[in-house]
Amino acid sequence: MLSHNVVAQETNNTSYEKFTKTFDSLVNYKEFDMAYNLLSDESESIILGGEKFSTLYYELLYNRVKSEYLSGNYLESISLAREFIFRYPKKDSLLGYTYSYLGNAYYQFDDYDIALDCYFKAKKIYDSEKRYSEVSKVLSSVGLIYNNLEDYDEALKYYVQANELLKKNNVQAESHNYTQIARLYTRNENYAMAQLYLDSALKLALTQNKLKDQYYAQRSLGYNFFIQEKYSEAYFNYQKAYDGYLSINSIDHSLDCSLKLAYIHYNLKEYSEVYRLCESQIPIAYNIGDLNAAVFFSRLMYKALIKDEKYKEAIFVQENFKQIEDSIERIQNNSYKYKIQMRLETEKRANENELLKQQKIADQETIRAQNILLYSVGLGLFLVVVIALIIYRTYLINKRLSFKIQQQSDRLKQLDEAKSRFFANISHDLRTPLTLIMGGIEQVLKSEDLLLTEKAERQLKTGLLNGERIIHLTNEINELIKLEDGKLAINKKYVDIDKMLNLFVKMFNSMAELKGVHLSYSKSIFEGDSYVHIDPSQFEKVLFNLITNALKHTKKDDSVTVALNKDGDQLLISVIDSGEGIPEQNLPYIFERYYQAPDTTFKTQEGFGIGLALVKEIINKHDANIQVKSKLGQGSEFIITIQQESVPSENLTQLYALTYSDQTRVLFRELDEPLGNDNPIVNVNKRSSDKATLLIVEDHPEVREFIQNIVEKKYNVLTAPNGQKALKVLDKEEVDLIITDLMMPWFDGFELLEKLKESDKLRKIPALVLSARTSEEDKTKVLSQGVNDFLCKPFNPEELLKRIENLLNRKEIWNNNNEGALFINNQQTLDEIEQSLLKKVEHLILEKIDDPNLSVNYLADQIAVSERKFYRMIKKMTDSTPFEFIKEVRMQYALQILKEKNVSSASEVAKAIGMNNVSHFNTQFKKRFGKTPIEFK
C-alpha cells in the first residue's frame, strides 16, 4: 500500500485523466481495496477533500458498470455492480441505477428471478426519491419479464401501473408503454381497447417526434386489424410502418412489416404479390443475418406456390428453408449453451464474491471481538458457513461436471452426425468427377480410331477398375446413411437361408483356394425348415462382408467355416475363422461407424470402418442380432441370430445367383493374391549388369506393377508384396536401392526398416519410402529409422525417378560408419549432431555471458529454429529448460573465474556473468556449489 505522502505527491503532479486511468487499472485487476483506499475518506487532506474523493470513486465505478453493460459485457457489468452495491453506503438514485443495470444484465441471461429482485429494489429507492419516470421504467421492465414468461395478465398489470403512475404525477407518458398495453389487449382479443391505446400512442409519438415509437405504434395498429381479418386497414398501417422503418434504416423492423404484408396478400389469394414480396425480402434477411425472417418468408412463399400449384418451385423453396432451419437450430443450440455457461459463470463469480465478503465481515467481527465467548461463537458461525459453502460448492461442482459430461456426450453425437454428413457429401461429390474420368477411359478403350499398346490398355483398365471400386465405396457410405436415417426400404421375402449359404461357399471356394485357406459349410440337423424372412439383396451384403472379412484376415493353411444351427425358435448363422483374431479391447467398437482397429497384423486391409457398421444396421432392420467372439491369435466368430419361419414352400423366393456378391467380388479379385506363399515374388526383367537393381516392396499388386512400369527401363527390378518376402529377396540378391510402402500385411514397412537397421550388410542400402501415410509423426518415425527419403502417394513419376537417381548418386556416403554422411540414419550420428548443437548454444551463451538481457528468443534465432522447438531440443538434450541451462552455464563460468583468481569481489563476478543482483547471485551460487563465492576465494 502506498503511503499518504507518496499518494499526495503523485496526485498533486497528475491530471484528472491520469488519476482516473490509475483507478481503471486497479479495477481491471480487481484491486477494489486499493482503488477504494486511493479515493477514500482516509485521503481527505489530499487536493480535492475527502467527500469529493469518496464520491469520485463511486461515480467512476458506476460509470464502469454502465459502460460494460452498454458494451455487451454483461458478466463484467454484474461483477462491478455487485462490488458497487457491497461498498456504497447510501440508498439514493445512484444505487437505484446500479440495481437497474444489474437487473438488465441478469435479464440478458434469462435469469428472471434475480432480475425481478433487482428491479423491485431499484423501485423502492426511486419511490423514496419520487423519481416517477424511473419507477415507470422499472415497472415496464417487470412487465416485459412477465410478457416473456407468457403471464400476459400480470404483464398488462405492470404496464398499466407504469402508465397510470406517470399520468397521476403529471409526467409525460411514454408512447412505447401505450403500444405495449395495446398489444396485450390485442392478444386478449379486446380489439377496441387496443385501438384506443394505439391511437393515443400514435399521437404521443407524433407530439414527441419519436419516429421509432411512431412506426412501432403504426405496426401494432396493423397487427390489431390483421388479427380481426380487416386486411385493408391492416395493409395500410403495415405499409406506412414499413416505409417509416426504411426511412430510418431500421431494416429488421421493416422485414417484420413486409412479412405481414405478404401474409395479407396470401390471405387475399394474391399469390403473385406474395412471390414478389418474399423474393425481394429473403436476400435482405440474409444480408442482415436474420435467418428466422428468411425461413418465415420462405415458408410463406412455399405455401403460396403450393396453393398456386407450382409444385416444382415449391420443392426448391422448401429445400432452401429446411437448410436455413437447420442453421437456426444450430445457432439457437449454441446460443442456449452460451447462456447456460454465462449463467453458471455468473453464479460462480457471485458465490466467490459472496464468500470473500462473508469472510471479510467475519474477520472484521473477530478483530472487534473483546470477549472470548463472542469470539468462539463468531468462529463457530464462520466454520459453519465455510462448511456449508464447501458442501454447496461440492454440489455445484458435481452439478457442473454432470452438465459438462452431458455436453461432451451431445458434442460427440453431433460430431458423429457431422462425420456421416461429411462422408455422404464427399461420396456424392466424387461421383461427378468419377463419371468424367471413367467415361473418358471407357471411350478411349472402345475407340476404334486409337491403337493402344498392351501395356497402355492394361493401365487404362486398371484405372477404370479402381474408379469402380471408389463407386462401390460411395454406394456403401450412402446405404449406411440411408439406413441410419430410415430412408432405405427393406423388402422382406421368405428365403431358404441354407441354399443361400451354399451359394456363398461355392462362390468363394476359388478365392479361398487361391489363398490356401480351407472354406467349408456346415449345417446341423434340427427340427423345422431353414426359412427366414429377409430382404435377400440386403442380407446378401451382410454375408458378403462377413465372409470376405474372414478370408482377408486368414493366411495359408487357416480355415473359414460357414455354419447354420438352431437355438430354440432362432436360427444361428455363424462365420468362423482361425485367423489373427481381434484384441479384446477392440471388440466393443468394431460395429461402430468409421472405427479402425489401431493394431492389426493386416495393416494393408485397413478399411474405412463402413462394412461392419453397414452389417449391424441391416441386421437391426431385420429385427435380428449379431455378436462377435474372438481371441487374439486364435480367430473370430460372428454369429447372426434370426427368427426361424414356417411357411409353405410355394411362398419362398428362389435364389439362383448372388448378383451383388459376384459383381463386387470381381472388383477386388485382382487384389486377392496369396500372402502365405513361402516363395518370394521376384520379377526380374532383362537383368543387366550395368544397371542398378531396385527392390520394390509393395503389397498392392496394381501399385507395385505401376511403380515397376515407371522404373524398369532404367533399372533392374525385383518385387516383393511385404517386408517378410523382401528380406528373403535381400538374402539372395544384390540390391542397390529399396523402395518400400509402410502399410503391409504380416510384416510392414516399419518392421522392414528396423530389420535393415539391425543388419550390418543391409543397413548400407539406401531406402526410399512411398506411402499414403503423410502425417508428420509417420515421417519423423521413418526418418529416425535411417530412411533416406520419403515420398507421399500419389506421386509424380518424374519426381520418383529423380529421387531414385539422387539417392543412387549419393550411395557412397550412405555407409553409417562414414563420418561425412549427409543424413542422420543412426543413433551415433544423431548423438554427435546433438553434442555439436549443444556446444554451439553454449558458445553463444558465453559470447553474451555478461549481458543480463540474454534471452531464449535470441539463442533460438541464432540457430534458426522457433523458440518452442528450441525449448524441446534443449529439454531433450539436457533434461533441463533453456532458462536452467543458461543459468548453469553462468554458474560454471563464475566458478571458473573464481578458481582462476581473476576477480576481486563477488559483485565483480556477478557483473561478469550478467547478474546485477549480487545477493541473488550469492544465493544461487551457494545453492549450486554448496559454498558462497567468498568461501571459494
Side-chain angles (χ1 to χ4, degrees):
M1 176 67 68
L2 296 173
S3 69
H4 293 311
N5 291 334
V6 175
V7 173
Q9 184 179 354
E10 289 187 358
T11 309
N12 277 311
N13 299 325
T14 307
S15 65
Y16 175 81
E17 289 76 16
K18 227 172 188 180
F19 198 73
T20 55
K21 188 176 179 182
T22 303
F23 169 83
D24 279 338
S25 177
L26 291 170
V27 171
N28 283 337
Y29 286 102
K30 299 294 183 290
E31 294 291 346
F32 294 113
D33 287 334
M34 289 185 68
Y36 181 79
N37 290 329
L38 185 68
L39 299 172
S40 68
D41 292 339
E42 296 171 21
S43 306
E44 62 182 308
S45 63
I46 305 171
I47 301 179
L48 301 176
E51 183 61 33
K52 285 191 176 182
F53 269 91
S54 180
T55 303
L56 180 60
Y57 170 79
Y58 294 117
E59 284 177 357
L60 290 172
L61 190 57
Y62 167 74
N63 287 333
R64 281 295 301 276
V65 171
K66 182 179 177 181
S67 66
E68 293 293 348
Y69 175 80
L70 295 176
S71 301
N73 300 326
Y74 306 123
L75 201 62
E76 190 64 22
S77 179
I78 289 171
S79 178
L80 293 171
R82 286 186 172 279
E83 174 63 24
F84 181 98
I85 291 165
F86 173 68
R87 291 187 181 277
Y88 195 58
K90 303 176 184 178
K91 288 192 176 180
D92 58 12
S93 56
L94 198 60
L95 182 62
Y97 294 144
T98 305
Y99 270 121
S100 292
Y101 276 113
L102 185 58
N104 293 343
Y106 275 114
Y107 172 85
Q108 297 298 329
F109 293 125
D110 298 338
D111 210 333
Y112 297 140
D113 289 338
I114 300 178
L116 284 171
D117 183 62
C118 293
Y119 287 145
F120 284 122
K121 285 179 180 176
K123 178 181 179 297
K124 188 175 180 181
I125 295 169
Y126 295 146
D127 279 334
S128 67
E129 296 196 351
K130 297 183 179 179
R131 292 180 176 271
Y132 303 119
S133 179
E134 300 304 327
V135 174
S136 176
K137 288 177 184 176
V138 167
L139 291 171
S140 296
S141 297
V142 173
L144 182 60
I145 287 178
Y146 280 112
N147 190 54
N148 289 350
L149 293 171
E150 298 182 359
D151 189 347
Y152 303 118
D153 291 338
E154 199 70 12
L156 182 60
K157 183 181 82 173
Y158 281 102
Y159 277 123
V160 169
Q161 281 183 24
N163 232 30
E164 292 301 321
L165 180 70
L166 295 176
K167 274 187 183 179
K168 182 180 176 182
N169 293 282
N170 297 318
V171 180
Q172 191 174 37
E174 292 286 340
S175 65
H176 186 271
N177 270 9
Y178 277 92
T179 306
Q180 289 296 99
I181 293 168
R183 291 183 78 91
L184 287 167
Y185 275 124
T186 300
R187 186 176 292 279
N188 291 336
E189 299 182 2
N190 192 341
Y191 305 121
M193 189 63 76
Q195 182 73 40
L196 287 173
Y197 272 98
L198 286 170
D199 289 341
S200 299
L202 200 53
K203 287 175 185 175
L204 266 175
L206 288 167
T207 303
Q208 297 168 354
N209 197 27
K210 292 183 177 179
L211 294 178
K212 210 163 188 179
D213 286 354
Q214 176 189 335
Y215 304 141
Y216 184 49
Q218 202 88 51
R219 192 171 103 200
S220 300
L221 269 169
Y223 178 69
N224 195 43
F225 286 123
F226 180 86
I227 294 297
Q228 299 174 67
E229 298 184 2
K230 294 179 179 180
Y231 297 129
S232 176
E233 293 90 337
Y235 193 91
F236 172 79
N237 283 285
Y238 273 125
Q239 186 65 52
K240 287 198 73 173
Y242 173 79
D243 294 336
Y245 281 129
L246 283 182
S247 70
I248 61 171
N249 201 30
S250 183
I251 304 302
D252 51 342
H253 292 119
S254 71
L255 276 174
D256 181 71
C257 294
S258 60
L259 181 62
K260 289 298 189 298
L261 290 170
Y263 268 109
I264 292 170
H265 283 302
Y266 177 83
N267 290 339
L268 295 173
K269 300 183 179 179
E270 296 169 355
Y271 302 127
S272 59
E273 285 300 308
V274 177
Y275 312 150
R276 181 186 65 77
L277 262 175
C278 292
E279 285 181 340
S280 66
Q281 296 302 308
I282 288 172
I284 296 172
Y286 273 121
N287 287 339
I288 67 169
D290 192 345
L291 297 182
N292 282 313
V295 168
F296 289 141
F297 278 114
S298 299
R299 280 180 175 164
L300 184 58
M301 190 174 177
Y302 168 78
K303 288 167 69 177
L305 288 166
I306 292 294
K307 288 285 187 182
D308 213 11
E309 298 183 355
K310 295 183 178 180
Y311 301 113
K312 186 175 180 181
E313 293 89 335
I315 290 170
F316 175 79
V317 171
Q318 185 188 35
E319 290 175 351
N320 186 43
F321 76 72
K322 285 293 182 187
Q323 291 176 358
I324 303 171
E325 283 179 332
D326 290 342
S327 300
I328 291 172
E329 186 177 356
R330 286 194 296 273
I331 292 168
Q332 287 175 341
N333 286 340
N334 290 337
S335 175
Y336 177 75
K337 289 175 184 176
Y338 173 76
K339 282 191 175 183
I340 291 293
Q341 288 173 347
M342 289 299 100
R343 287 180 69 179
L344 289 172
E345 186 64 26
T346 304
E347 290 172 10
K348 178 184 174 183
R349 286 199 184 187
N351 289 333
E352 288 175 349
N353 288 341
E354 193 63 30
L355 177 61
L356 290 171
K357 291 168 187 175
Q358 291 298 327
Q359 190 173 352
K360 186 173 181 179
I361 292 167
D363 290 343
Q364 289 172 349
E365 290 299 322
T366 304
I367 292 169
R368 293 191 187 100
Q370 302 294 320
N371 189 299
I372 294 176
L373 179 62
L374 288 176
Y375 173 81
S376 301
V377 171
L379 182 61
L381 288 172
F382 175 72
L383 289 174
V384 168
V385 170
V386 170
I387 291 168
L389 285 170
I390 291 170
I391 293 170
Y392 180 63
R393 187 173 177 80
T394 304
Y395 164 75
L396 286 179
I397 290 170
N398 290 336
K399 188 176 179 181
R400 204 175 299 124
L401 283 172
S402 177
F403 176 72
K404 284 183 178 179
I405 290 168
Q406 183 61 43
Q407 273 189 320
Q408 289 172 351
S409 175
D410 294 342
R411 178 64 178 157
L412 287 172
K413 187 177 179 182
Q414 289 173 2
L415 287 172
D416 203 31
E417 290 171 356
K419 192 187 289 184
S420 292
R421 285 196 301 274
F422 171 75
F423 275 112
N425 292 337
I426 287 294
S427 65
H428 178 269
D429 292 343
L430 280 174
R431 287 178 174 272
T432 299
L434 279 173
T435 301
L436 296 173
I437 294 167
M438 293 168 65
I441 294 173
E442 284 182 345
Q443 286 182 348
V444 170
L445 286 171
K446 292 177 180 178
S447 175
E448 296 179 358
D449 299 331
L450 295 173
L451 184 60
L452 298 173
T453 64
E454 183 181 348
K455 180 180 177 181
E457 184 176 353
R458 187 169 64 253
Q459 289 177 336
L460 286 172
K461 285 180 178 179
T462 299
L464 187 62
L465 184 61
N466 279 280
E468 289 173 352
R469 289 170 187 159
I470 297 174
I471 290 290
H472 169 72
L473 176 61
T474 62
N475 288 338
E476 279 200 333
I477 292 171
N478 288 331
E479 285 197 7
L480 180 58
I481 302 300
K482 284 179 182 178
L483 277 167
E484 289 170 346
D485 294 343
K487 294 179 180 177
L488 190 67
I490 299 292
N491 300 314
K492 290 186 179 181
K493 298 176 183 178
Y494 290 104
V495 172
D496 188 343
I497 196 66
D498 176 38
K499 291 183 179 178
M500 192 175 194
L501 295 175
N502 262 309
L503 284 173
F504 263 105
V505 172
K506 288 177 183 176
M507 174 179 287
F508 284 98
N509 256 326
S510 58
M511 182 189 292
E513 288 176 5
L514 180 67
K515 292 190 68 174
V517 174
H518 178 66
L519 175 62
S520 62
Y521 173 57
S522 167
K523 178 191 175 187
S524 64
I525 300 172
F526 52 77
E527 185 180 349
D529 299 313
S530 53
Y531 301 161
V532 290
H533 198 209
I534 59 172
D535 182 330
S537 62
Q538 296 299 331
F539 212 79
E540 182 184 344
K541 292 171 187 175
V542 171
L543 295 173
F544 177 83
N545 264 293
L546 296 179
I547 295 173
T548 52
N549 276 350
L551 289 171
K552 282 178 187 177
H553 293 270
T554 48
K555 60 182 185 299
K556 185 180 178 183
D557 297 327
D558 281 338
S559 65
V560 174
T561 303
V562 180
L564 179 62
N565 299 294
K566 183 181 177 183
D567 182 13
D569 60 350
Q570 303 285 316
L571 292 183
L572 306 180
I573 303 165
S574 304
V575 179
I576 309 157
D577 68 71
S578 60
E580 64 170 339
I582 304 167
E584 187 177 351
Q585 65 270 23
N586 297 343
L587 288 175
Y589 312 109
I590 62 170
F591 292 113
E592 290 184 6
R593 283 171 296 168
Y594 318 121
Y595 176 74
Q596 295 170 292
D599 302 306
T600 173
T601 305
F602 295 86
K603 295 178 178 65
T604 189
Q605 304 291 0
E606 285 184 333
F608 293 89
I610 295 169
L612 287 178
L614 184 62
V615 165
K616 179 69 172 172
E617 290 293 333
I618 293 172
I619 290 296
N620 289 343
K621 290 289 182 183
H622 283 83
D623 298 320
N625 181 51
I626 185 168
Q627 57 180 319
V628 59
K629 300 175 183 176
S630 186
K631 285 190 177 179
L632 201 59
Q634 296 182 24
S636 305
E637 179 181 4
F638 286 82
I639 306 165
I640 299 171
T641 306
I642 191 166
Q643 182 69 39
Q644 182 185 26
E645 302 291 345
S646 179
V647 294
S649 58
E650 56 267 21
N651 291 347
L652 289 179
T653 298
Q654 299 300 325
L655 297 177
Y656 300 103
L658 302 170
T659 309
Y660 167 84
S661 301
D662 193 44
Q663 291 174 350
T664 308
R665 184 177 61 124
V666 169
L667 288 180
F668 298 95
R669 180 178 291 158
E670 294 183 28
L671 302 181
D672 295 323
E673 69 179 16
L675 297 176
N677 194 342
D678 291 333
N679 298 318
I681 297 175
V682 182
N683 299 320
V684 184
N685 294 329
K686 298 180 181 178
R687 190 79 178 267
S688 173
S689 59
D690 60 345
K691 290 182 180 179
T693 300
L694 311 183
L695 172 59
I696 301 170
V697 189
E698 168 63 63
D699 61 295
H700 197 295
E702 293 170 350
V703 176
R704 190 168 62 240
E705 183 183 358
F706 176 62
I707 299 170
Q708 182 179 338
N709 288 337
I710 293 171
V711 302
E712 64 185 358
K713 289 183 180 179
K714 296 183 67 175
Y715 305 103
N716 298 320
V717 180
L718 308 175
T719 64
N722 57 49
Q724 204 171 47
K725 293 184 179 179
L727 290 175
K728 292 183 180 180
V729 174
L730 291 167
D731 282 343
K732 298 176 182 178
E733 304 285 345
E734 290 293 329
V735 173
D736 297 293
L737 175 69
I738 299 169
I739 302 172
T740 180
D741 188 14
L742 290 180
M743 304 306 295
M744 295 181 291
W746 304 111
F747 199 92
D748 67 15
F750 290 114
E751 293 168 305
L752 174 61
L753 293 171
E754 196 64 42
K755 289 292 183 184
L756 296 178
K757 192 173 166 186
E758 292 171 1
S759 169
D760 290 334
K761 174 188 173 185
L762 302 179
R763 71 193 304 176
K764 300 176 184 179
I765 303 173
L768 167 63
V769 168
L770 289 177
S771 178
R773 293 185 63 154
T774 59
S775 70
E776 289 302 319
E777 182 183 351
D778 289 325
K779 290 181 182 179
T780 303
K781 185 175 177 182
V782 296
L783 289 172
S784 68
Q785 287 183 324
V787 170
N788 310 104
D789 209 347
F790 190 105
L791 190 57
C792 299
K793 296 177 184 176
F795 54 83
N796 184 294
E798 292 299 324
E799 184 181 0
L800 174 62
L801 289 169
K802 189 65 179 174
R803 293 205 186 196
I804 292 171
E805 183 181 345
N806 288 341
L807 292 176
L808 290 172
N809 287 341
R810 297 174 182 269
K811 185 184 174 186
E812 295 303 320
I813 56 172
W814 292 144
N815 189 325
N816 287 297
N817 298 319
N818 182 353
E819 293 182 359
L822 296 179
F823 287 78
I824 303 172
N825 60 343
N826 71 15
Q827 190 58 44
Q828 182 182 353
T829 311
L830 187 62
D831 291 341
E832 290 171 1
I833 289 179
E834 286 182 351
Q835 289 301 319
S836 173
L837 180 63
L838 203 58
K839 284 181 182 177
K840 182 177 180 181
V841 173
E842 188 176 340
H843 179 68
L844 288 168
I845 296 170
L846 290 171
E847 282 183 345
K848 296 268 187 180
I849 194 74
D850 60 344
D851 184 358
N853 298 317
L854 176 63
S855 66
V856 175
N857 189 43
Y858 166 77
L859 297 174
D861 285 342
Q862 293 303 304
I863 62 171
V865 296
S866 69
E867 190 172 344
R868 188 175 177 184
K869 187 171 182 180
F870 180 77
Y871 183 95
R872 291 199 301 266
M873 287 166 55
I874 297 298
K875 185 71 176 173
K876 177 178 180 291
M877 292 187 287
T878 67
D879 199 29
S880 60
T881 67
F883 301 103
E884 292 168 343
F885 183 66
I886 292 170
K887 187 172 79 172
E888 177 64 18
V889 174
R890 288 187 194 274
M891 291 294 120
Q892 292 292 346
Y893 185 74
L895 180 63
Q896 181 183 337
I897 59 178
L898 279 169
K899 286 181 176 179
E900 293 172 358
K901 310 293 183 183
N902 293 332
V903 291
S904 58
S905 65
S907 61
E908 192 177 343
V909 179
K911 188 177 179 181
I913 64 169
M915 294 182 73
N916 295 330
N917 190 324
V918 180
S919 174
H920 179 65
F921 165 66
N922 286 332
T923 303
Q924 293 299 317
F925 190 91
K926 185 175 182 181
K927 184 178 177 181
R928 175 64 182 87
F929 299 112
K931 295 180 181 179
T932 65
I934 295 172
E935 290 171 340
F936 260 97
K937 287 192 69 180

